[in-house]
Structure formats: structure tokens, C-alpha cells
Amino acid sequence: MKIATALAGLVLTAASTAAFAEGLPDLAGREVTVVTENAYPPLQFINASGAAVGWEYDAMAEIAKRLNMVVKYENTSWDAMIPAVSSGQYDIGMTGITIRDDRKEQVDFSDAYMRSEMVMLVRGDETRFTDAKSFGANADLLMAAQPGTTPFYVGVYEVLDGNEANPRIKMFETFGAGVEALRTGDVDLVLTDGTAGNGYVAATEGKLKIVGEKLGAEDFGFIFPKGSDLVAPVNAAIADLAADGTLEKLNTKWFLEYKMGQ
């Protein structure tokens, strides 16, 4: 995703702007448990040195500093994340989570911190299809997906035939496992937002590429248990990060400058 796209997606509500104007809340060193998947570069992933890094880690560190809170990180799979946060097992979830009305029934969302457009990630030498229509028309081609994710539903309803049990969709527990299956030839397509897609393209130096037109746009937010008192402070901090240019700097660092695997 290009920096202009990321910046264009920043959503700052009037409430958040007012919170910033009045000064940020002080959480007085409160310990907050944040859960993530570490499988979604460049938002969060494990680098070649074994460290957990990424756009969301940097953003959360800034949020914690500005709100005077202490962050403890935990890891879980994508399919377990929303139920775990919903039940109060964790205070915040972060893993490029699309803000959707059905998910709002289970968790509260922060204001959007980024908008990303969905893309088709394929092997670098792929020539059998060039867009969603030609992929859908070839019954031999397979797609990787995580159940219950936005890419899964886009794949079902915009690329394939609307059958959620279509055998051409191969399920994987993590996004990274689906990408690895793509690289090894076990599947032929991974749908993902532009942030992760461009991150993998940059990291693989031509072994992966993006084809076709963008299939839509999605806004990302952090998630919280319903009724969490952390939503308003985090929204205020997101507005603060946007207002002073910090989000722009993170976009430049992770989408324009950083080469994963180094």
C-alpha cells in the first residue's frame, strides 16, 4: 500500500479530535495486555532476528507512552482472537483487524488508524490468471484463506461462486501459513490487504507479486471487550498521532523504507 493510500484512510472522529484538544488522558501506569498474531507484515511479524516488530508495535508503543500505560504482549491465532478479547481475556487486540458491523456485536473498535485496499498476491512466475475473473474461471486454481476473515469472504463472494464450502478454498490457521503454501505451490492465490501484500512482495524480491485490480477497501482498528474504558483514551491517542505527523512517519518507515528479512 502506498503511503498516500494509508494516509487517506485515517479516520478521526469529532470526539477524538476534541479529546486531543483537551489533552490526553493519564492512565497512571496502568498495565494493559495486548494480543496479536505476529503474522501480518508489515503491521506485526517476527523479523530475521526473532524480534516482534512492525507498524502496529510502533504505534502501540507511542500510544502507551502518551497515555502513560504499560503494555504486556501475548500471542494467539486469528480465529481465537476476537472471542478471547470479547470474553475479557485480553484488553486490546491488534492484527490489522477490519472494522465490521458484525464484529461490533462481539467487541468494541477504536477509530480507524489505517485504510487498506485488498489485493491478489500470487507467485512471481504466475501466468495462468491475471485478475479475479480469470482465477475464478479456472477450476484447477486454489486459494488460501483464514476462516472468518475479510479475505475469506471476499474470495467467496467476489472471486469464486458464493459457496463458503467451495473446495477451492484451502483453510489455514495463520496468514503466514497461507503465504508459505502459496510460495511452495500448494495454493495459487492469497487475498490480503495492500499493507501485507506489499510487505511480502518487498520481502521476497520477486518471488511474489500482486496482480489484478484492487477488490475493495477496509479500515483497520484495535479491538476491546465491549464497554472497555480504554476505547476513548486510545482514540484520543490515535488522533494525537495523526495530528503531530507520527502516523505519517510510521507509514514512511514501514511501507517505503523498510525491507523485511534484513
Side-chain angles (χ1 to χ4, degrees):
M1 180 176 59
K2 295 183 179 180
I3 185 170
T5 304
L7 294 179
L10 295 176
V11 179
L12 304 176
T13 66
S16 295
T17 304
F20 167 61
E22 296 169 4
L24 294 178
D26 184 347
L27 299 186
R30 175 174 170 179
E31 184 174 290
V32 172
T33 302
V34 176
V35 66
T36 188
E37 190 181 13
N38 282 338
Y40 208 23
L43 295 185
Q44 21 68 31
F45 63 103
I46 303 299
N47 68 11
S49 301
V53 298
W55 192 104
E56 286 182 328
Y57 276 107
D58 285 359
M60 186 58 66
E62 282 290 334
I63 290 170
K65 181 173 66 176
R66 297 180 191 211
L67 296 179
N68 189 18
M69 71 181 189
V70 177
V71 175
K72 175 185 176 183
Y73 287 102
E74 298 285 351
N75 296 108
T76 192
S77 63
W78 159 252
D79 59 351
M81 185 173 296
I82 292 179
V85 173
S86 177
S87 68
Q89 185 175 347
Y90 306 108
D91 298 306
I92 301 175
M94 69 174 202
T95 185
I97 303 172
T98 302
I99 299 173
R100 287 182 10 192
D101 288 341
D102 59 332
R103 293 173 180 168
K104 290 179 181 179
E105 297 176 2
Q106 301 179 67
V107 293
D108 285 341
F109 277 91
S110 70
D111 292 339
Y113 56 77
M114 183 183 297
R115 170 167 290 181
S116 182
E117 295 171 305
M118 192 160 294
V119 297
M120 300 176 64
L121 186 66
V122 304
R123 286 183 296 279
D125 59 357
E126 181 60 73
T127 59
R128 295 168 297 172
F129 64 97
T130 57
D131 56 17
K133 183 177 180 179
S134 54
F135 177 88
N138 188 335
D140 294 329
L141 301 176
L142 304 177
M143 180 182 74
Q146 291 172 273
T149 62
T150 299
F152 170 79
Y153 290 112
V154 171
V156 168
Y157 293 103
E158 296 189 28
V159 178
L160 297 176
D161 58 0
N163 176 15
E164 294 185 13
N166 192 315
R168 292 178 60 185
I169 305 174
K170 301 303 177 183
M171 299 297 187
F172 293 87
E173 184 177 351
T174 68
F175 176 75
V179 174
E180 184 59 28
L182 174 65
R183 295 184 64 174
T184 59
D186 293 328
V187 299
D188 307 294
L189 170 67
V190 171
L191 292 180
T192 181
D193 66 277
T195 59
N198 282 299
Y200 274 104
V201 169
T204 58
E205 298 179 345
K207 295 179 181 178
L208 296 176
K209 66 181 180 181
I210 291 170
V211 300
E213 298 294 326
K214 296 180 176 65
L215 297 176
E218 53 188 356
D219 292 326
F220 293 161
F222 302 117
I223 60 172
F224 310 78
K226 296 290 289 184
S228 172
D229 63 351
L230 288 170
V231 176
V234 169
N235 282 346
I238 290 172
D240 198 20
L241 294 175
D244 72 2
T246 298
L247 291 182
E248 181 177 358
K249 291 177 182 176
L250 293 182
N251 289 332
T252 299
K253 174 181 178 180
W254 290 105
F255 300 132
L256 297 183
E257 295 178 355
Y258 190 76
K259 298 293 184 180
M260 282 164 290
Q262 296 179 342

